[in-house]
Amino acid sequence: MAQKAAKQLAARNSATLTRTHLISLVINACFVFLRFLIFRTSSNRTNYFLYFILASPALLVELWLERIGRPTHAPNGEVKKSGEDLNARGLTEYMWDVLYWSWGCTLLAGLFGNKAWWLWSVIPLYSIWVAYTTFGGIKQSMAGLAGQRAGSDASPDGNTSNRQKKMEKRGGQKIQYR
């Protein structure tokens, strides 16, 4: 069973990476076609400098996803390593977001010129927001691990049953929550 799951993951990763490379090739070819041939009069060195600088993160992310996700096969055709799951949550998901946004900015810059590169500034803002929400969630979960406030006798959800109240009133077992 485990080998079947590894084969499925390897096939899914290979298909995803192949599709990603083709999309990237088409988008970058569109930019070059639009800037070199269609909007040739508005092209200058700044345009190409911005393209190389701001399209390079997409290339780096694509290479990183290739490195971690491409399956390796033994000489007999068996899957040696299926690669990391490219649909995983967390950092991989964030890298896909950066890749998609960079592609969009590249296409828009090809169509509308250098002003469209300003949309790329959303990525660092998005990074800050993701970091803030991630650390906020960690802070809340750590507070939950620490338990309730000192001196609080109530149950975690704040409700005590009538049976518990009667037993505590009689001086019987007092229920303590951790």
Side-chain angles (χ1 to χ4, degrees):
M1 278 297 204
Q3 187 65 15
K4 182 180 178 185
K7 286 179 183 178
Q8 287 176 345
L9 180 62
R12 190 171 56 236
N13 282 354
S14 290
T16 301
L17 289 170
T18 302
R19 185 179 61 241
T20 301
H21 295 321
L22 287 174
I23 291 170
S24 181
L25 178 70
V26 168
I27 286 173
N28 288 301
C30 283
F31 178 85
V32 170
F33 175 75
L34 288 169
R35 285 290 122 195
F36 275 123
L37 299 175
I38 305 296
F39 303 117
R40 191 172 179 187
T41 57
S42 65
S43 294
N44 56 24
R45 283 188 179 179
T46 305
N47 200 7
Y48 302 119
F49 177 74
L50 286 172
Y51 169 70
F52 287 119
I53 295 298
L54 296 175
S56 61
L59 177 64
L60 293 175
V61 166
E62 195 172 339
L63 291 174
W64 176 254
L65 291 173
E66 172 73 29
R67 184 174 179 265
I68 67 168
R70 182 65 67 182
T72 55
H73 298 280
N76 61 1
E78 282 188 25
V79 176
K80 275 177 50 178
K81 181 182 158 208
S82 60
E84 297 291 325
D85 186 13
L86 294 178
N87 294 328
R89 296 185 50 83
L91 185 60
T92 307
E93 185 179 39
Y94 172 72
M95 291 216 185
W96 284 111
D97 293 342
V98 169
L99 188 67
Y100 296 147
W101 192 257
S102 296
W103 285 347
C105 290
T106 302
L107 273 178
L108 291 174
L111 289 170
F112 301 115
N114 287 343
K115 298 232 189 250
W117 288 118
W118 283 102
L119 292 172
W120 206 87
S121 64
V122 169
I123 294 174
L125 297 175
Y126 178 66
S127 301
I128 292 168
W129 180 76
V130 166
Y132 175 76
T133 56
T134 301
F135 291 126
I138 291 172
K139 190 168 84 171
Q140 287 177 354
S141 66
M142 294 302 254
L145 290 175
Q148 295 178 328
R149 291 186 291 257
S152 175
D153 294 334
S155 63
D157 58 357
N159 299 331
T160 55
S161 69
N162 287 336
R163 184 175 178 206
Q164 287 175 342
K165 288 178 186 177
K166 286 179 185 177
M167 287 185 68
E168 289 175 3
K169 189 187 259 186
R170 280 187 277 172
Q173 289 180 334
K174 189 166 185 171
I175 300 172
Q176 294 181 344
Y177 296 95
R178 296 182 194 183

